[in-house]
């Protein structure tokens, strides 16, 4: 049935047919997923960077059940509201205020892509209301992933996505990503950060500051390869945005809800974005829901000027999804998972990964909170790749990890990890051991 009728997303359908269909994941508990053959694996990717509280949480199922019986759905278009999304907005505002008390309001959507589409429309609407309609350009970064809709894929910087269908749409400029291992190998972190941040200013000046609407970036790029910038990078980016009066947008779809040991990733870097987007960990993936966090000064302008913001979705603020997101946040709070990531599991993970630094195939290990990457190189002490080009070694090591009982993802030649925040220290050790074994098995294969 999978081959006969199902087209999975972001997939090569020739490969799907050759494989005779997908591997079915049929159940999960804690940090482990089980397939249709009864094989259980450690989930090193929290589903798809999202199952922050782990699997099997009855509280979320009960929240959905109760809300569906009470009121499965009602819209928020007709000057109507339902209690769960309004409660959720207040709860998210409380978490946003930790880093930036100006982030006071929330606009709901269903996915990360839609949240970034909302940014596209809201930011341009804001500048129209301000009487600066010329400000239409978004600056984003190469290799960024902001989603798969026309606008969010355009904001993203994945050229292979742009090649299909003639993206990006006009008005999006891409600058360098802060990928030091790949693109600043011989520089100090500070010099590299300054050089990369300056590409933003250069682009602003090239297109004319009066034409630039916003800069958007993930605090730590996830699908771009777990790119952790030097600590000086984000404050420099923020200063450039302020200098030219440009809105600063953080895509928190992966970094939000504890991933970096803070409620939102920008809080780690100490910056104050005007807008943020969130999804994934917001409901730990139990139901689809996303949001845009909006600063008071933007809301104030919309209130002052009046007129309808002609944007929104049938399921914006879906009561059942919102009830599940609230139950998810209650678990993050009651189990102290955000603080635990910062002070216990994040440092433990970083330390455990260090063990792999000496491996002959490993060029770098990096992590922040509970997201990390291992770079595979052909010559220790360099950033040279097997086969001369990126993307040869990564998939081989990934497949060996999966065979060994760990679900991870390869991005080019790095193995990326993003386990549930509930992962135990013993499970972190297990994750690292499986990767070590996979690297040992890959070594002779890659060198033959
Ligand atoms: N933004 C980031 C940083 C993401 O990682 C993703 C998905 O991986 C998205 C946006 C898009 O989210 P969705 O797949 O829910 O549309």
């Amino acid at each position: 049935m999978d081959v006969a009728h199902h087209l999975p997303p972001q997939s090569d359908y020739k490969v799907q047919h050759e494989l005779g269909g997908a591997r079915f994941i049929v159940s999960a508990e804690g940090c482990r997923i089980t397939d249709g053959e009864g094989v259980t694996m450690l989930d090193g990717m929290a589903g798809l960077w999202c199952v922050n509280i782990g699997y099997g949480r009855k509280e979320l199922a009960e929240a959905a059940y109760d809300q569906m019986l009470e009121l499965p759905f009602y819209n928020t278009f007709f000057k109507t509201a339902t209690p769960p999304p309004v409660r959720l907005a207040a709860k998210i505002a409380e978490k946003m205020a930790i880093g930036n008390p100006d982030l006071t309001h929330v606009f709901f959507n269903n996915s990360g892509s839609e949240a970034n589409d909302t940014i596209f429309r809201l930011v341009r609407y804001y500048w129209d209301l301000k009487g600066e309609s010329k400000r239409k350009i978004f600056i984003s970064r190469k290799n960024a992933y902001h989603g798969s809709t026309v606008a969010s894929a355009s904001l993203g910087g994945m050229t292979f996505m742009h090649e299909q269908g003639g993206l990006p749409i006009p008005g999006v400029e891409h600058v360098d990503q802060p990928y030091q291992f790949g693109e600043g190998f011989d520089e100090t972190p500070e010099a590299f950060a300054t050089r990369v941040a300056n590409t933003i200013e250069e682009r602003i000046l090239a297109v004319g500051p009066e034409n630039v609407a916003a800069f958007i970036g993930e605090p730590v790029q996830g699908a771009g390869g777990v790119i952790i910038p030097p600590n000086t990078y984000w404050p420099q980016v923020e200063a450039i945005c302020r200098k030219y009066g440009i809105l600063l947008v953080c895509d928190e779809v992966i970094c939000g809800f504890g991933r970096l040991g803070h409620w939102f990733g920008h809080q780690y870097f100490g910056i104050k974005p005007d807008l943020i987007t969130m999804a994934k960990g917001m409901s730990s993936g139990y139901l689809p829901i996303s949001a845009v966090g909006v600063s008071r000064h933007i809301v104030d302008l919309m209130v002052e000027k009046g007129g309808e913001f002609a944007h929104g979705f049938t399921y914006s603020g879906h009561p059942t999804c919102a009830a599940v997101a609230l139950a998810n946040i209650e678990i993050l709070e009651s189990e102290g998972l955000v603080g635990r990531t910062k002070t216990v599991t994040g440092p433990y993970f970083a330390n455990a990964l260090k063990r792999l630094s000496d491996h002959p195939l490993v060029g770098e290990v990096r992590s922040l909170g509970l997201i990390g990457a291992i770079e595979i190189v052909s010559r220790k002490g360099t950033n040279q790749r097997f086969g001369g080009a990126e993307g040869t070694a990564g998939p081989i090591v990934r497949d060996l990890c999966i065979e060994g009982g760990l679900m991870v993802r390869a991005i080019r030649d790095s193995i990326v990890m993003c386990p549930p925040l509930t992962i135990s220290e013993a499970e972190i050790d297990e994750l690292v051991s499986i990767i070590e074994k996979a690297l040992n098995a890959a070594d002779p294969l890659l060198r033959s």
Side-chain angles (χ1 to χ4, degrees), residues 49 111-114 116 145-147 218 251 253-254 279-280:
W49 324 86
S111 66
S113 303
E114 283 179 13
N116 287 321
Y145 187 74
H146 294 301
E218 287 173 85
D251 179 335
V253 169
I254 288 178
K280 297 192 188 273

Side-chain angles (χ1 to χ4, degrees), residues 112 115-116 119 216 249-253 264 275-279 291-293:
N116 287 321
I119 287 292
I216 181 167
V249 186
C250 284
D251 179 335
E252 296 276 1
V253 169
F264 294 104
L275 295 142
I276 66 175
T277 55
M278 64 197 85
V292 176

Side-chain angles (χ1 to χ4, degrees), residues 162-228:
H162 293 165
E163 279 156 14
Q164 294 172 358
L167 300 181
I169 53 177
V172 186
E173 298 280 327
H174 295 96
V175 297
D176 290 346
Q177 57 175 163
Y179 178 25
Q180 183 155 18
F181 185 77
E183 288 154 20
F185 194 71
D186 297 322
E187 291 168 80
T188 64
E190 293 74 23
F192 173 71
T194 301
R195 179 168 70 76
V196 178
N198 283 346
T199 64
I200 301 169
E201 184 161 20
E202 285 156 17
R203 192 63 62 92
I204 292 169
L205 293 172
V207 299
E210 70 284 4
N211 298 316
V212 182
F215 174 82
I216 181 167
E218 287 173 85
V220 167
Q221 267 184 358
V226 182
I227 307 302
I228 303 171

Side-chain angles (χ1 to χ4, degrees), residues 299-425:
V299 178
D300 284 349
L301 183 70
M302 294 192 288
V303 171
E304 181 200 322
K305 298 280 178 179
E308 179 179 326
F309 176 43
H311 176 78
F313 307 95
T314 300
Y315 301 135
S316 286
H318 192 291
T320 305
C321 300
V324 166
L326 276 166
N328 171 60
I329 295 172
E330 270 161 33
I331 288 181
L332 286 169
E333 285 178 336
S334 64
E335 296 182 12
L337 289 171
V338 179
R340 182 170 171 268
T341 302
K342 183 179 176 188
T343 58
V344 182
T345 39
Y348 192 90
F349 182 51
N351 209 33
L353 286 176
K354 264 197 212 135
R355 218 171 83 201
L356 301 176
S357 301
D358 294 334
H359 196 282
L361 286 183
V362 173
E364 180 180 83
V365 296
R366 55 176 181 270
S367 69
L368 182 56
L370 282 171
I371 191 166
I374 294 161
E375 295 274 0
I376 302 161
V377 293
S378 57
R379 263 187 57 213
K380 191 92 187 153
T382 72
N383 61 2
Q384 288 170 22
R385 308 296 183 175
F386 282 98
E390 287 191 320
T392 306
I396 292 175
V397 177
R398 174 205 58 205
D399 289 349
L400 288 163
C401 287
I402 294 173
E403 249 175 61
L406 171 69
M407 183 59 89
V408 281
R409 188 167 174 188
I411 297 177
R412 300 180 296 275
D413 282 322
S414 55
I415 297 297
V416 299
M417 299 150 288
C418 181
L421 305 186
T422 48
I423 193 166
S424 67
E425 286 152 333

